[in-house]
Structure formats: structure tokens, C-alpha cells
Amino acid sequence: MRTLTFGMNQSLDGYIAAPGDDLGWSVPSDELFQWWSDRVGATGLALYGRRLWETMSSHWPTADQQPGVTPAHVEFARRWRNMPKVVFSSTASTVDWNTRLVTDDAVTEIARLKAQDGGPMDIGGATLAAAAMRAGLIDEYAIVTHPVLVGGGTPFFTALDNWVNLSLVETRTFPDGVMLTRYATRR
């Protein structure tokens, strides 16, 4: 059985995007960028909602060909293109870069993918992750908290019908006061 991790940057007040989908507050340090890159390199399958997919696929497929690109960005772009991905969307019609499109019920498909053998899975995108949270499918939360209050936007967590008990797995401090906290779901 595969594990499913929901990991994103978040503001101190709990948002993964500020109003207007502004992500300018979450620019990573070199050390944090490397942590995210290593995470992509270790992911057996990435699950994306349509909006996050559109953001990632608009940049990373050719990011390594841009002028002045750093070796770290070249590595991330290569890892991202090579990583198997599934996009969940009822409106997208095509996907590229080692990606499969699922238009059916996301929760059913995520549960099916979790039951398979294979490497760890990461899930990204607020709406998709919220559906997996409500269904009890997330095994771990990797929360990268930036010391900024954005006052609103897209929340990291969704409203739940029941409590989810967690165990702290790791904490790590990055430059600029950014803090990683990883929690495993207690079942």
C-alpha cells in the first residue's frame, strides 16, 4: 500500500495562496528549494488538481531552458518532467509530461492508487487535497510555514466532520524563519 502526503507552503495564518492566488510570499530559499526538489525526486506518483497542474505545467517543462537558470532549477525541471503524475479535472482535456488525466471521481481513484504497490504519493492542490482529507486518505502532512500573514485566500486545511489525530514526525527550520512540520495521521 502506498502512502499519501499532502505538502504545500503555507502562510502563518494557514493559507497556501493569498487572495488573487498570489504566491509571491512563498519564494523559497535555496535550501528550501532543494528540499522540495528532493521531495519531487523521491515521489513515486504526484496527484494534482487542475489549478495547481496549470501553474506547474506552465513553467517547469521548459524552466531548464531559460536564460540564467540555476543548476538547482535544471534538476527540479528534469525531476518534475520525469515524475509520474495524475491530474484530476472535469474541465481539462489534455495533459503532457508523463501525466495521466482522470475525469472520474477523485476519491475513488485516489483510494485505488493508494491500494497499489509503488513509491510514495504526493497530493497537491487545495480542492483535491480537501476531498482526500475528508475521505481520510491522507497519511502525512508536510507543512512548510512561512512567517507571513496574508489575511485570507486559499486555506491549507478544509472543514472536517471528524477530528484527525496526528503525530509529529519531523521539524526543521529553513532560512528566513521558514519552518517545516511533518505529521503522520494516527489510525
Side-chain angles (χ1 to χ4, degrees), residues 48-87:
Y48 284 105
R50 180 193 51 82
R51 285 183 22 204
L52 182 58
W53 164 254
E54 288 174 351
T55 298
M56 297 296 284
S57 67
S58 71
H59 179 73
W60 289 110
T62 60
D64 55 343
Q65 301 162 20
Q66 302 306 311
V69 68
T70 67
H73 284 82
V74 169
E75 177 183 48
F76 187 95
R78 179 188 50 77
R79 286 175 166 176
W80 187 86
R81 281 192 308 265
N82 292 339
M83 176 180 59
K85 297 171 278 301
V86 176
V87 173

